Amino acid sequence: MGENGFRAEAIDTTKPHPARIYDYLLGGKDHYEVDREAGEQLVAAAPEARIGVRANRAFLRRAVRHVVGSGVRQILDIGTGLPTAPNVHETALEVAPDIRVAYVDNDPIVHAHAGDLLGPDGTTGTAGITIGILLADLRDPRAILDAPEVRAVIDFDEPVALLLAAVLHFLADTDKPQEIVATLRDALAPGSHLILSHATGDFADRSGAAAVYRKATAAMNLRTRAEIERFFDGFELIDPGVAQVPFWRPDTPPPPRSHEIGFYGGVARKSR
């Protein structure tokens, strides 16, 4: 039994894993042959997949810079995935010092890679950053909120940026994802923000892409814009609302085929 009750044997490395597929499509190196094969099948089913994951990552960076620029100094990143340069804390540090980030993921492989961010004394070696790392599952949001690794970094009496980037589509409706988001929302102080992105089939038939993930360790559940907007209940969306990720406050010309990209993203603020 590993920390937080996870058994190493419970993670099947013979099957593709969403975080490693994502890493492969981003051009990373932390993946296996099964993940590369799944990534190529995904591109065959959804030709815009590579530009889509890159556009999603670019959206995340823009959104982080926005919320940190608004004054938030704490980030709770659930569904961290494998570290991708620049990391969330590195992006935040571009805007302001004294950043605190709690990274959460349910995959021990991701957890081990995230642990490499820390030195033996539990710090990053980068002035102005405090990081916590937790192995936990989004399906149990209360355990995340109460975890000592999170509480040591995040003060829930102060504004927090909650990141749920490309993770909720791996929860089925039976997991009650809206209730999960509501539990996290209710723990946040006024002035907190939600940064969320989610896969959709609104712009093309992506049943073939979803089929690739049915053979992986987590299935993908595509949702419509209206369904995704409901995750922001209790928050106030900032302009331009929920949009395809390349068109959420772009700071460079959107990439080719952007109108085909099946990712929505949005940022919202909790006012009370």
Side-chain angles (χ1 to χ4, degrees):
M1 184 74 72
E3 66 176 286
N4 292 317
F6 282 82
R7 297 187 302 273
E9 63 268 23
I11 305 301
D12 187 354
T13 57
T14 67
K15 290 184 177 181
H17 187 282
R20 299 193 305 263
I21 297 171
Y22 195 86
D23 176 76
Y24 171 67
L25 294 175
L26 283 173
K29 60 182 185 305
D30 296 312
H31 49 261
Y32 300 101
E33 180 62 29
V34 289
D35 307 303
R36 293 191 288 273
E37 291 175 357
E40 290 302 323
Q41 292 168 9
L42 188 62
V43 170
E48 79 289 353
R50 277 195 175 91
I51 60 170
V53 297
R54 291 168 183 163
N56 181 67
R57 192 71 193 177
F59 156 76
L60 176 61
R61 293 196 65 212
R62 296 194 304 275
V64 167
R65 288 196 296 265
H66 170 81
V67 298
V68 174
S70 75
V72 177
R73 296 294 180 269
Q74 306 183 105
I75 300 173
L76 176 57
D77 182 0
I78 304 178
T80 300
L82 289 157
T84 301
N87 295 306
V88 165
H89 67 270
E90 293 169 331
T91 299
L93 196 62
E94 295 171 7
V95 181
D98 303 321
I99 298 298
R100 303 196 301 276
V101 182
Y103 289 116
V104 181
D105 204 282
N106 71 343
D107 179 21
I109 295 174
V110 172
H111 183 265
H113 281 280
D116 290 341
L117 296 171
L118 301 182
D121 60 351
T123 66
T124 65
T126 302
I129 297 177
T130 302
I131 288 180
I133 297 170
L134 174 66
L135 182 67
D137 198 304
L138 177 58
R139 294 172 181 84
D140 189 354
R142 194 71 254 170
I144 292 172
L145 294 169
D146 293 339
E149 296 90 337
V150 170
R151 291 282 172 170
V153 176
I154 303 295
D155 178 358
F156 286 100
D157 291 328
E158 298 294 331
V160 177
L162 170 63
L163 272 60
L164 296 172
V167 63
L168 287 174
H169 48 239
F170 294 116
L171 298 185
D173 290 344
T174 54
D175 294 317
K176 301 182 178 179
Q178 282 189 265
E179 292 184 16
I180 289 170
V181 177
T183 298
L184 295 167
R185 177 200 66 214
D186 291 348
L188 303 179
S192 295
H193 286 71
L194 171 62
I195 299 173
L196 185 151
S197 63
H198 194 297
T200 185
D202 280 1
F203 306 102
D205 178 1
R206 289 296 173 252
S207 55
V212 173
Y213 282 98
R214 284 198 293 273
K215 300 175 184 176
T217 59
M220 176 178 283
N221 302 276
L222 302 174
R223 294 185 172 97
T224 66
R225 178 176 178 171
E227 290 172 320
I228 294 165
E229 285 177 334
R230 286 199 286 273
F231 290 124
F232 291 97
D233 288 352
F235 293 91
E236 297 175 357
L237 279 162
I238 66 168
D239 289 338
V242 174
Q244 281 175 279
V245 289
F247 306 114
W248 192 92
R249 300 195 177 194
D251 52 9
T252 59
R257 307 187 72 165
S258 286
H259 289 281
E260 300 174 36
I261 289 175
F263 272 102
Y264 282 119
V267 178
R269 185 178 185 274
K270 182 178 179 181
S271 60
R272 57 185 176 85

